[in-house]
Amino acid sequence: MVNCWICGKTADSEEHKFKASDLKKSHGKKMNAFYINGDVIQINSFKDKILKFPKVICINCNNNLTRPHDDAYDKFVNFCFENHEEILKTRNINFEDIYGKNWELEKKNLYRYYAKHAGCKIVTANTEVDVKDLSEFIKGNNQVFDFVLQFELKAGVKALMNAFNLANKYNHLYNSATCKWNTNLSPKFGGWLTNNYTTVNWVFGKNINLNSVKIFKTKNEAVLITDSHFFDIDEEDENEEFSRVKFIDQYVVGFENGYNKSLEQKIGYFESLIRINNTK
Ligand SMILES: [Zn+2]
């Protein structure tokens, strides 16, 4: 048994990699979905083990402490889904539009939702990493030093969604692999979560965020747009039989990765997000 990385008590809760309500809402109880994790795996239930982290947090932290963070996340993804055309045009998210008067607290709680997700990914992969700054933030600290978020809209994913939704309801949830790289000081980690039209990139590393107090008081956040000009189909595959798995691998993963196909490119991208954050 390991201890909950947030509060230190016995970790007895299996947190979903995706929010369970997102999975139920989009797929119903009987799922017809694919999970991509290097391989493409078909899944039939939102309770599938592959959709959950191993037990790294406790039931109280998962159900009670972080409930307001989950609620902030729900409002955020619903807003972004309904307003994606506007977001694409303005390249901006206004948190007062999402949350109303309470936007400062709710914005912070949204960041805490992603901090929980990132922390679970990091400790699942590397239990010895010090995630105290994340856990203190989740427990109520008003600033965070080791964590950066950047919102993004991927034109390729949007095109894919628009095309798929012509025929039947398509819901796009994507949980990236966790990238780890070593710097002189300490390891850094990066990854992203996509819910339909909106990607949220996260980066973890010692003291990479000098600006969190200011950012939490800022009503507007810029949204990076990744176009789909990079995309070209592998010509050699033209005559091969079309398969769903191959399609998912080429298009969905291709559009999600954008210009950053290799690990080096991804690391470069995450490092650029740290720089962007510190000029905010
Ligand atoms: Zn706990």
Side-chain angles (χ1 to χ4, degrees), residues 4 6-9 57-58 61:
C4 169
I6 300 174
C7 74
K9 294 186 187 129
I57 59 174
C58 74
C61 283

Side-chain angles (χ1 to χ4, degrees), residues 82-224:
E82 280 160 18
N83 297 282
H84 63 270
E85 294 289 356
E86 185 66 18
I87 294 169
L88 186 64
K89 223 182 313 168
T90 61
R91 305 186 171 203
N92 177 70
I93 294 175
N94 179 323
F95 284 84
E96 194 173 25
D97 288 348
I98 306 176
Y99 297 120
K101 269 206 302 251
N102 220 9
W103 66 268
E104 273 191 52
L105 175 64
E106 297 252 42
K107 182 180 178 185
K108 218 179 295 166
N109 283 343
L110 177 70
Y111 277 63
R112 290 180 173 126
Y113 173 85
Y114 288 105
K116 176 173 74 168
H117 171 83
C120 286
K121 291 199 77 161
I122 293 163
V123 299
T124 298
N126 299 266
T127 44
E128 76 284 3
V129 175
D130 178 8
V131 287
K132 195 165 190 300
D133 183 60
L134 285 186
S135 64
E136 292 302 321
F137 176 53
I138 291 166
K139 286 188 282 189
N141 241 6
N142 286 317
Q143 50 189 331
V144 66
F145 298 97
D146 299 350
F147 188 61
V148 160
L149 281 190
Q150 176 63 53
F151 304 99
E152 182 176 352
L153 206 150
K154 293 170 176 168
V157 173
K158 183 175 179 296
L160 205 61
M161 288 200 52
N162 291 351
F164 282 173
N165 275 321
L166 292 176
N168 40 37
K169 194 168 171 284
Y170 170 73
N171 197 65
H172 183 86
L173 300 174
Y174 190 87
N175 177 7
S176 79
T178 308
C179 300
K180 181 188 178 197
W181 65 103
N182 287 303
T183 59
N184 294 336
L185 304 165
S186 57
K188 287 181 187 159
F189 298 85
W192 71 89
L193 267 178
T194 303
N195 180 305
N196 290 303
Y197 301 99
T198 311
T199 292
V200 179
N201 299 283
W202 59 267
V203 192
F204 172 88
K206 261 285 151 269
N207 290 320
I208 57 172
N209 193 347
L210 313 172
N211 261 349
S212 66
V213 172
K214 189 175 156 204
I215 287 167
F216 295 144
K217 288 188 193 310
T218 305
K219 203 181 284 180
N220 291 287
E221 281 290 329
V223 178
L224 298 181

